[in-house]
Amino acid sequence: MKILMVTSEAVPFAKTGGLADAVSALAIALSRLGHDVRVVMPRYYRIDRSKLSLVPGPMGVHSGYQEIWTGLYEGVLPGSKVPVYFIDHEESYGRDGVYGTAGETDFNDNPQRFSLLGHAAFQLCRKIRWFPDIIHAHDWAAALAPIVLKFNERRGEFAQTSSVFTIHNIGYQGVYSKHLFPYTGLSWDNFYAAGFEDWDRMNFLKAGIISSDKLTTVSPTYAKEIQRPEYGFRMDGILRYRSKDLVGILNGVDTDIWNPQTDPLIPSNYGPKTLAKKAVNKAALQKRMGLPVDPDVPVVGIVTRLADQKGVSELFGPAYGSAWRICTEINLQMVVLGAGEQWCENEIASLSHSLPNFRAFIGYDESLSHLIEAGSDFFLMPSRYEPCGLNQMYSLLYGTLPIVRRTGGLADTVENYDEQTGEGTGFSFDNLTPQSILDTVGWAAYAWYNKRDHVNAMRIRGMSRDYSWDGSARHYEEVYSSARPSAGV
Ligand code: ADP
Ligand code: GLC
C-alpha cells in the first residue's frame, strides 16, 4: 500500500511530545512490512536545509485566500528509506516553535500554518507523481488533509484514496475564531458539513473526526475513555456516534533507540540477564544530579511535559502537592526532568533548593532522559489522562518499575503488583489525589525495602515484554485495508 503520513512533528526533525516518536516509528515499521510510506511535514526554522535535498521548482498551494508558493525539500527517516517531504514557507514556518513559543503558546496564525500543510499534502503528491491509497493524518494540526480529501480532492488520482485520522491527544483540538475559517480554503458550506462548527468557533480536531474515513487512537483503553464525558473533552458525543470506525492501537517503542542492551546514551548497557549492571547507571544518575551515591536508597524518576495532563498539580501544586511529603516521609531520592508550565517549573526549582533528596533539571534533555530511565528504580506517571504514554514502556524495558495512575495506555501496559504472589510489572492507583500518589509511592518503597525478590522478578518480567512496533503496524494495516473512500459521516 502507498501511505502518506501527514504530521506536524516527527523525530528527529521536530518534537514536542510522543506524537513525534510515534509517527516516525510507525512509518518505519510499516515500510519494513513492505509498504511505500512517506511523510510530509513543515520545514520549521530549526530543520537544517543543508542536510536535505531540494526538490527543484516552486510548488503552488492554493490555501485560504491565495496561491502560496512554497519550496519542497526531501530527507529520509534515519535508519530507513522512508522519504520525508518538508514544506518550506518562510512566513509560515520560518520561526522558532512548532505550535508556539513560551511567550506565545499558540501562534495566532496556526489556522493558516496548518491549513497550508493540509493542502500542500495534495500538491506534493501531484508534484512527485505519487498518489497514496491512504492519507494518514495525526492530531488536529494535520486534520485538514482528510477534510480537504473528502470535500475538495476526492477525484482523479485521489478518487480511491481513503483517510485515517489518529487522535494522539484529544486535549489539543485547534479551536479558533470562525472568522479565520476562510484560511482553510474550504467553502462556508463545509463549516457545518465538515464538522468545524463548535459553539460558533471552528474546531480542527472535531472536523477531522467527522470527516475522516477511519479513526484510531493510541491505546484500547483511551479509545473507550474518550467516548465518555470525563475524558472526551466535549468530543465524546461525536466519538460515540463514530464508534464503529474508531479503534485503539497501542503505540510501540522504537527499540533501536530505547534498548538498555545497546543504548549509547547510558554509561553501562545491561539486560535481564545482566541486571546487576543497572547499578552503574544508578550511581551515574545520582552523581549527575548531585545526590548522595547510595545503591540502597530507591530512586524515583520522572520525565515529563509539565502540563496538567500529567498530574503535575497533584504532585507539585504549591502546599497541597504530594512531592514534599513523598520526599520527607519516605526514604528515597526523586529526580525530575521536565519543562512546561511556568508555575510548575518554579515549584520544582524551589523543591530542589529545599529538599536534600530531590533534584531536577528544567529543560529538554534527550540524553538525561535515557539516564533517568536506566538509573532509576521506579518511574512515576500520575497522569490525569494518558492516551498511550511512552515513558512507562521505556521504563518497563529498562527494568524501572512504573508507578502509574490507571488510565489510557498506562492501564493497558502496566500490570499491578500483587503482594501475595509477586506478580505484576508496576504499581497502579485509580484516584488522582495527592494522597493516592503518596500512598502508591510508599507502597513501591515498601516493596523495595521488604520484598526485593518481588521487585527484581517484576523488573525481569517487564524487560521481557514485547513493545515492538511490528504488532501495532499490523493493526494499522488492518485499519487501512478496511478504510473505504467516503465512508464515515
Ligand atoms: P506526551 O506525548 O504526552 O508528552 P509520551 O509519554 O507519549 O507523552 O511521550 C513523551 C516523550 O517526550 C518521551 O519520549 C519522553 O522521553 C520525552 N520527553 C518529555 N519531556 C522531556 C524532557 N524534558 N526531556 C527529554 N525528553 C522528554
Ligand atoms: C500524545 C499523548 C501520549 C502518547 C503520544 C503518542 O502526546 O499525550 O500519551 O503516547 O501522543 O501517541
Side-chain angles (χ1 to χ4, degrees):
M1 261 188 260
K2 287 190 273 183
I3 303 150
L4 180 64
M5 300 281 176
V6 187
T7 183
S8 52
E9 304 182 26
V11 288
F13 304 107
K15 167 165 166 171
T16 71
L19 164 69
D21 300 281
V23 170
S24 297
L26 173 61
I28 293 173
L30 286 164
S31 91
R32 285 186 185 146
L33 291 178
H35 300 286
D36 180 357
V37 193
R38 306 186 184 198
V39 179
V40 59
M41 64 183 288
R43 207 273 315 167
Y44 303 107
Y45 175 68
R46 277 170 189 261
I47 301 174
D48 185 356
R49 271 190 279 220
S50 69
K51 302 212 171 79
L52 308 172
S53 49
L54 178 68
V55 182
M59 186 170 84
V61 181
H62 190 78
S63 175
Y65 295 97
Q66 48 178 330
E67 185 87 355
I68 294 178
W69 291 95
T70 66
L72 184 63
Y73 285 84
E74 187 178 346
V76 70
L77 288 179
S80 81
K81 293 204 166 66
V82 175
V84 186
Y85 298 98
F86 296 90
I87 310 300
D88 191 42
H89 186 243
E90 198 61 27
E91 196 184 314
S92 300
Y93 308 127
R95 62 183 93 159
D96 218 9
V98 172
Y99 312 103
T101 57
E104 184 186 5
T105 48
D106 190 19
F107 293 131
N108 62 17
D109 59 347
N110 275 346
Q112 292 101 299
R113 297 171 76 232
F114 293 114
S115 292
L116 175 62
L117 173 65
H119 287 283
F122 296 89
Q123 290 305 80
L124 155 73
C125 297
R126 292 195 177 92
K127 191 171 165 81
I128 61 171
R129 304 295 312 152
W130 177 88
F131 297 94
D133 302 300
I134 300 290
I135 288 194
H136 187 167
H138 299 265
D139 273 354
W140 78 264
L144 204 73
I147 303 165
V148 168
L149 174 66
K150 178 162 176 164
F151 291 95
N152 283 0
E153 293 279 11
R154 195 171 261 142
R155 56 195 150 79
E157 272 109 345
F158 295 105
Q160 294 310 316
T161 303
S162 305
S163 62
V164 174
F165 183 50
T166 295
I167 301 166
H168 292 261
N169 192 329
I170 208 159
Y172 300 87
Q173 301 184 352
V175 182
Y176 299 95
S177 162
K178 74 172 182 190
H179 301 297
L180 299 172
F181 181 70
Y183 281 109
T184 62
L186 296 165
S187 80
W188 272 105
D189 304 348
N190 300 141
F191 184 66
Y192 296 98
F196 279 99
E197 198 278 335
D198 181 16
W199 293 91
D200 213 31
R201 290 166 69 77
M202 74 160 158
N203 183 324
F204 278 87
L205 184 97
K206 177 166 172 275
I209 293 173
I210 299 275
S211 305
S212 301
D213 299 323
K214 287 282 172 191
L215 305 172
T216 75
T217 186
V218 288
S219 69
T221 295
Y222 195 59
K224 289 190 209 126
E225 286 176 341
I226 54 178
Q227 298 182 50
R228 305 207 313 255
E230 311 91 279
Y231 287 97
F233 281 82
R234 304 181 301 113
M235 298 297 119
D236 48 294
I238 56 167
L239 286 166
R240 285 196 297 280
Y241 185 62
R242 295 225 52 196
S243 63
K244 69 173 191 343
D245 293 313
L246 167 67
V247 316
I249 303 173
L250 200 66
N251 288 331
V253 168
D254 185 343
T255 44
D256 290 341
I257 300 175
W258 293 96
N259 178 352
Q261 316 210 35
T262 52
D263 190 338
L265 297 174
I266 60 174
S268 174
N269 291 118
Y270 62 98
K273 295 203 175 80
T274 49
L275 197 52
K277 288 205 262 171
K278 187 171 162 62
V280 178
N281 300 300
K282 178 169 173 175
L285 175 64
Q286 289 170 319
K287 191 154 176 249
R288 170 138 180 213
M289 301 304 283
L291 290 162
V293 176
D294 179 351
D296 296 326
V297 76
V299 175
V300 178
I302 296 180
V303 179
T304 188
R305 285 186 292 120
L306 301 174
D308 191 53
Q309 170 195 347
K310 302 295 179 179
V312 292
S313 303
E314 286 70 13
L315 194 54
F316 299 117
Y320 64 92
S322 51
W324 177 270
R325 287 186 62 198
I326 289 173
C327 291
T328 50
E329 293 175 23
I330 306 171
N331 186 20
L332 51 64
Q333 296 174 343
M334 189 177 268
V335 295
V336 180
L337 167 62
E341 290 174 23
Q342 193 61 52
W343 73 264
C344 194
E345 293 189 354
N346 296 345
E347 202 58 34
I348 289 172
S350 112
L351 289 172
S352 292
H353 285 117
S354 32
L355 290 165
N357 54 343
F358 180 99
R359 288 290 174 271
F361 179 82
I362 301 291
Y364 196 90
D365 188 327
E366 196 74 32
S367 88
L368 182 56
S369 75
H370 284 247
L371 184 60
I372 292 179
E373 288 293 0
S376 301
D377 297 299
F378 300 96
F379 192 93
L380 179 58
M381 282 179 88
S383 302
R384 183 173 307 282
Y385 70 94
E386 196 60 76
C388 177
L390 295 171
N391 280 105
Q392 83 282 9
M393 293 193 275
Y394 302 157
S395 301
L396 289 162
L397 295 175
Y398 278 65
T400 302
L401 301 182
I403 304 171
V404 302
R405 173 154 180 266
R406 197 178 327 201
T407 183
L410 301 175
D412 291 333
T413 50
V414 178
E415 300 148 46
N416 201 15
Y417 172 49
D418 180 332
E419 246 175 271
Q420 306 305 318
T421 62
E423 286 300 312
T425 56
F427 302 81
S428 316
F429 61 95
D430 287 304
N431 295 330
L432 180 56
T433 60
Q435 188 67 43
S436 307
I437 302 173
L438 172 72
D439 290 344
T440 315
V441 175
W443 183 32
Y446 172 83
W448 169 267
Y449 285 112
N450 300 290
K451 304 265 185 180
R452 194 70 65 86
D453 51 333
H454 284 179
V455 167
N456 287 332
M458 280 202 279
R459 286 181 154 172
I460 289 167
R461 199 172 294 129
M463 292 174 91
S464 55
R465 291 285 185 268
D466 179 12
Y467 294 113
S468 65
W469 267 98
D470 297 355
S472 315
R474 288 190 195 282
H475 277 125
Y476 279 101
E477 267 182 337
E478 288 166 22
V479 173
Y480 297 154
S481 312
S482 68
R484 294 280 170 275
S486 295
V489 181

